[in-house]
């Protein structure tokens, strides 16, 4: 039994909204109501409950806009986008479920309508990247003195999209006087769902184009640009900082040295020798079968690897997936990170298990921020207390980026 949803996998997805409450995402009662509607239902009923709740909120927003209540309409549209974003997470996988694409399009349409009602309006942007372009948004600092302001760039991880970054970190940045640019890159959001563009390990290449774009925006202090990555972004952000030296600061939430270490530790715990898992792409078939069996016995693990992982990496089998994740490492690059770097480590986040080792490997000015269950911030990306995470991150950035 989960926190709100009866099904643990549904709970892991649905309760993500709780961290967005202070920033205009779905409120507690709305999440609770969806959970009650789903009850003992399956993935389809989970998806439908969230979409129908989002549709009702959209209707409320339309009614408010029709009588000139722009603020209420804006809040409703943004809140609906949060509902749609949570609806399709269990549907991840290739071939792409048409329900996922339909909900994603509703999500972005609602988000764009809501942001257009801000003052000043925030409109969708495109960041050029070769023959492609990334969807992006620029949220200006809410209140600040005249002159150029610092910028935070937000980078996503494995399965969240631009709308979740807005609620998780962008609103907090704007309130604290930071401009904020957030986007979905290869393997994320629109790039994966609509264009089948897969994740890539060389995030420094991605962020170089994002910084190029950011420097064209008005009111940006080019010497005060910080990159913040959450979830798998806890690897992507420092990987970018190892090659993109126009960054003045980097935040990894959590500090993640690479993708394959967790898999190796899991296999060692079930009896594999450290030598046998040194090269995951070459493990013997018996060990590969053992991983397959572990997946079948654990729905969340199966979703994480066979549904999400295969799709995001553009592979169709476990061995190729293991080969792919080995490329996502800071081995040989961590020494090249020169900007001040903040790593987070939540008490009960298994992805943060290597944060201390990562911290010790850094040669730049560095800080390790720990979060505990006693603070209500002990889970992955401090999901039940993003307010505390944002307070500590932006306090640190204030010190680092103060002229």
């Amino acid at each position: 039994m989960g926190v709100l949803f009866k099904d643990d996998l549904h709970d892991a997805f649905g309760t993500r909204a709780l961290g967005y409450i202070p920033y205009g995402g779905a409120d507690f009662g709305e999440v609770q109501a969806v959970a009650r509607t789903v009850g003992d239902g399956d993935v389809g009923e989970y998806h439908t409950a969230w979409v129908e709740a989002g549709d009702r909120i959209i209707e409320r927003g339309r009614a408010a806009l029709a009588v000139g209540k722009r603020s209420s309409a804006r809040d409703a549209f943004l809140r609906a986008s949060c509902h749609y974003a949570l609806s399709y997470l269990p549907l991840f996988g290739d071939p792409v479920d048409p329900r996922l694409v339909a909900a994603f399009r509703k999500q972005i349409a609602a988000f764009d309508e809501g942001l257009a009602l801000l003052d000043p309006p925030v409109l969708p942007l495109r960041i050029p990247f070769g023959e492609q372009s990334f969807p992006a948004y620029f949220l200006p600092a809410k209140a600040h003195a005249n002159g150029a302001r610092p910028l935070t760039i937000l980078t996503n991880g494995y399965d969240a999209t631009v709308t979740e970054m807005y609620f998780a970190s962008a609103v907090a940045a704007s309130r604290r006087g930071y401009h904020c640019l957030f986007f979905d890159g290869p393997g994320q959001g629109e790039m994966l769902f609509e264009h089948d563009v897969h994740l890539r390990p060389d995030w420094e290449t991605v962020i170089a184009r994002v910084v190029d774009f950011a420097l064209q925006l008005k009111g940006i202090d080019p010497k005060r640009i910080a990159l913040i990555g959450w979830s798998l972004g806890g690897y992507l952000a420092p990987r970018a900082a190892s090659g993109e030296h126009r960054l003045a600061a980097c935040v990894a939430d959590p500090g993640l040295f690479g993708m394959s270490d967790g898999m190796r530790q899991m296999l060692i715990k079930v009896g594999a020798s450290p030598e046998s898992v040194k090269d995951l792409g070459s493990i013997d078939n018996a060990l590969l079968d053992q991983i397959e069996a572990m997946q079948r016995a654990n729905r969340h693990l199966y979703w994480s690897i066979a549904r999400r992982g295969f799709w995001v990496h553009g592979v169709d089998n476990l061995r190729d997936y293991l080969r792919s994740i080995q490329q996502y490492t800071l081995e040989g690059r961590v020494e090249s990170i020169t900007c001040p770097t903040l790593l987070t480590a939540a008490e009960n986040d298994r992805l943060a298990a290597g944060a201390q080792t990562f911290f010790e490997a850094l040669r730049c000015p560095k800080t390790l921020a720990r979060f505990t269950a006693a603070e209500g911030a002990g889970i992955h990306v401090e999901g039940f207390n993003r307010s505390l995470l944002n307070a500590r991150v932006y306090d640190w950035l204030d010190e680092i980026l103060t002229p």
Side-chain angles (χ1 to χ4, degrees):
M1 182 67 179
V3 175
L4 289 176
F5 292 78
K6 290 185 177 182
D7 180 278
D8 285 341
L9 189 61
H10 294 168
D11 199 67
F13 298 139
T15 56
R16 280 160 61 152
L18 301 183
Y20 311 149
I21 292 172
Y23 307 110
D27 215 333
F28 181 85
E30 293 170 323
V31 183
Q32 186 180 53
V34 170
R36 288 173 175 167
T37 300
V38 177
D40 295 316
D42 60 13
V43 166
E45 288 167 294
Y46 170 93
H47 170 73
T48 299
W50 278 108
V51 170
E52 290 181 347
D55 290 346
R56 288 193 296 270
I57 296 171
I58 287 289
E59 290 176 7
R60 190 170 75 223
R62 296 259 181 270
L65 193 60
V67 294
K69 305 295 185 183
R70 290 171 60 87
S71 293
S72 293
R74 176 198 64 217
D75 294 347
F77 295 146
L78 291 174
R79 184 165 293 187
S81 75
C82 182
H83 283 64
Y84 295 135
L86 296 174
S87 75
Y88 54 72
L89 289 167
L91 303 176
F92 263 51
D94 190 15
V96 184
D97 192 310
R99 293 174 295 176
L100 182 152
V101 176
F104 173 72
R105 290 174 179 172
K106 282 188 170 188
Q107 165 196 343
I108 297 303
F111 191 61
D112 288 349
E113 283 191 88
L115 292 184
L117 293 172
L118 289 172
D119 185 17
V122 171
L123 303 178
L125 304 171
R126 305 295 304 191
I127 297 177
F129 189 78
E131 296 181 356
Q132 304 165 342
S133 64
F134 304 144
Y137 298 86
F138 175 68
L139 184 68
K142 189 171 183 180
H144 56 81
N146 293 330
R149 299 297 302 164
L151 171 73
T152 56
I153 297 173
L154 306 182
T155 194
N156 244 324
Y158 236 151
D159 50 60
T161 57
V162 283
T163 60
E164 288 189 78
M165 276 195 295
Y166 170 83
F167 297 115
S169 293
V171 175
S174 178
R175 290 176 180 175
R176 288 288 291 261
Y178 289 80
H179 296 316
C180 190
L181 177 65
F182 50 109
F183 72 102
D184 276 336
Q188 302 169 334
E190 177 200 312
M191 302 308 295
L192 178 67
F193 303 166
E194 302 273 16
H195 309 302
D196 200 34
V197 175
H198 301 114
L199 196 67
R200 53 190 293 166
D202 60 333
W203 216 245
E204 67 277 9
T205 304
V206 173
I207 293 300
R209 302 289 80 76
V210 176
V211 173
D212 289 344
F213 181 84
L215 292 174
Q216 301 173 37
L217 299 170
K218 293 183 179 179
I220 300 299
D221 184 341
K223 295 183 179 180
R224 292 191 288 166
I225 298 177
L227 176 63
I228 303 175
W230 71 328
S231 196
L232 182 58
Y235 158 78
L236 298 175
R239 170 66 193 247
S242 74
E244 174 47 78
H245 296 294
R246 289 174 291 181
L247 299 173
C250 177
V251 178
D253 177 30
L256 190 58
F257 192 86
M259 289 186 64
S260 55
D261 291 342
M263 177 66 75
R264 290 192 183 94
Q265 292 303 315
M266 181 177 71
L267 293 175
I268 291 170
K269 284 182 180 179
V270 297
S273 69
E275 187 62 31
S276 69
V277 297
K278 188 174 182 180
D279 179 5
L280 288 175
S282 299
I283 62 174
D284 61 42
N285 288 331
L287 198 49
L288 201 67
D289 290 343
Q290 193 170 1
I291 302 173
E292 293 277 14
M294 292 167 66
Q295 284 189 117
R296 288 193 295 271
N298 185 315
R299 288 177 60 230
H300 204 149
L301 187 62
Y302 179 80
W303 177 86
S304 297
I305 296 176
R307 301 300 299 169
R308 180 187 66 179
F310 286 10
W311 185 27
V312 172
H313 289 267
V315 300
D316 60 6
N317 64 84
L318 183 56
R319 190 174 294 281
D320 284 346
Y321 170 76
L322 295 175
R323 289 193 181 110
S324 179
I325 65 173
Q326 287 195 137
Q327 301 174 54
Y328 294 76
T329 179
L330 286 165
E331 190 71 39
R333 301 191 65 93
V334 67
E335 301 84 358
S336 300
I337 301 172
T338 57
C339 65
T341 297
L342 171 67
L343 308 183
T344 73
E347 182 179 1
N348 298 319
D349 181 6
R350 62 178 181 80
L351 289 187
Q356 180 66 48
T357 303
F358 181 8
F359 179 75
E360 292 168 0
L362 286 168
R363 296 293 176 263
C364 57
K366 57 189 178 180
T367 303
L368 178 60
R370 296 190 179 276
F371 294 85
T372 67
E375 299 169 304
I379 68 168
H380 183 53
V381 298
E382 301 75 38
F384 290 169
N385 195 349
R386 288 295 295 181
S387 295
L388 178 62
L389 177 282
N390 286 323
R392 293 179 67 181
V393 165
Y394 288 108
D395 285 347
W396 181 81
L397 284 175
D398 286 347
E399 294 180 9
I400 296 298
L401 300 182
T402 297

